[in-house]
Amino acid sequence: VDHQKADWVSIHEKICQLLIPVPTSLPLLLSEKERKHGTEQLVRRQKYIMELSFSRAQQFVWDGKHKEAIPAALHALRFGTQVYGSNSVPLVPAYLLLAEVSACVGSLPQASKYLSQAQWIVLKTPDCSAAVQYQLHRSLGHFYAAKGNFEQALYHLANDVYLASSTFGLKSLETSGGYFHMANVFFHQKKMDIANSLYAEV
């Protein structure tokens, strides 16, 4: 009952009506053109549910409601898998979001699994964009910082800054996020001069 209530509050209420046609298979008596149109409609609907679920989960994270974000993020991953397959780059943001909320609710082993899956997808995709890679390194930086492994955290956050600046520019908001998280790590290490310098840069 608790699980159903959490699912309803998180996302199901928003997508309930959209789910009705999704599981139904297309009748065999339809023409090729009708089947193709039906399949395109189904994929369009699944993409919409994925995007809606992801943005809903993100909104919960921004509001500090990490537990509520989990069912919505899982729906984003589920429908993304149906549309793109189980090892595709468009799933990486959902895995990273699930890793973030798992870490925030104190489940670092689960966060590690989601991060490993995201990392595997990026590694096996040679043409993966820097825009996706910097997000992966930022998430890995957060994860290692949460574990207290500040050297690994700084390594990944430095990669985050490099990739974000090469894609969006040195003075971009995307790059400033990497500086901010690096500053937080230096702050935890009591290296206040470096931390303050990075905060000033942000």
Side-chain angles (χ1 to χ4, degrees):
V1 173
D2 288 344
H3 173 75
Q4 287 176 331
K5 192 184 290 183
D7 186 56
W8 180 260
V9 168
S10 177
I11 190 62
H12 215 92
E13 182 183 9
K14 300 281 184 198
I15 64 172
C16 193
Q17 290 303 310
L18 296 169
L19 293 173
I20 293 166
V22 170
T24 57
S25 57
L26 298 168
L28 293 173
L29 298 175
L30 293 176
S31 70
E32 183 63 33
K33 187 178 178 183
E34 288 170 322
R35 273 202 302 277
K36 187 179 176 190
H37 176 71
T39 302
E40 286 169 358
Q41 291 287 91
L42 180 65
V43 169
R44 213 177 353 258
R45 186 177 292 258
Q46 289 170 328
K47 281 184 182 176
Y48 177 74
I49 294 171
M50 175 195 173
E51 289 160 10
L52 179 66
S53 300
F54 184 81
S55 63
R56 178 86 170 152
Q58 248 182 349
Q59 190 59 56
F60 278 123
V61 170
W62 292 334
D63 293 343
K65 299 175 178 176
H66 298 101
K67 271 189 180 169
E68 288 91 332
I70 293 171
L74 286 170
H75 275 293
L77 182 62
R78 175 184 156 209
F79 283 96
T81 302
Q82 289 176 6
V83 173
Y84 300 106
S86 58
N87 290 308
S88 58
V89 172
L91 300 182
V92 170
Y95 277 120
L96 297 181
L97 192 60
L98 281 163
E100 181 182 348
V101 294
S102 297
C104 287
V105 299
S107 181
L108 288 179
Q110 190 61 49
S112 178
K113 286 179 186 174
Y114 289 130
L115 281 172
S116 295
Q117 189 62 37
Q119 199 169 19
W120 168 247
I121 291 170
V122 169
L123 286 172
K124 75 176 202 58
T125 310
D127 58 345
C128 184
S129 71
V132 171
Q133 291 183 55
Y134 97 85
Q135 292 175 40
L136 171 64
H137 282 288
R138 184 166 299 177
S139 293
L140 287 164
H142 285 165
F143 176 74
Y144 283 110
K147 286 182 74 175
N149 187 340
F150 296 128
E151 293 308 315
Q152 274 296 310
L154 287 171
Y155 168 79
H156 286 292
L157 291 171
N159 279 311
D160 159 16
V161 168
Y162 169 75
L163 290 161
S165 63
S166 68
T167 305
F168 303 104
L170 277 169
K171 301 295 181 187
S172 66
L173 286 173
E174 291 82 0
T175 304
S176 71
Y179 286 134
F180 178 75
H181 296 300
M182 284 184 85
N184 288 341
V185 173
F186 284 118
F187 180 85
H188 283 296
Q189 290 181 314
K190 307 272 191 280
K191 297 178 180 177
M192 300 310 295
D193 289 350
I194 306 173
N196 288 332
S197 171
L198 285 168
Y199 285 136
E201 183 68 25
V202 174

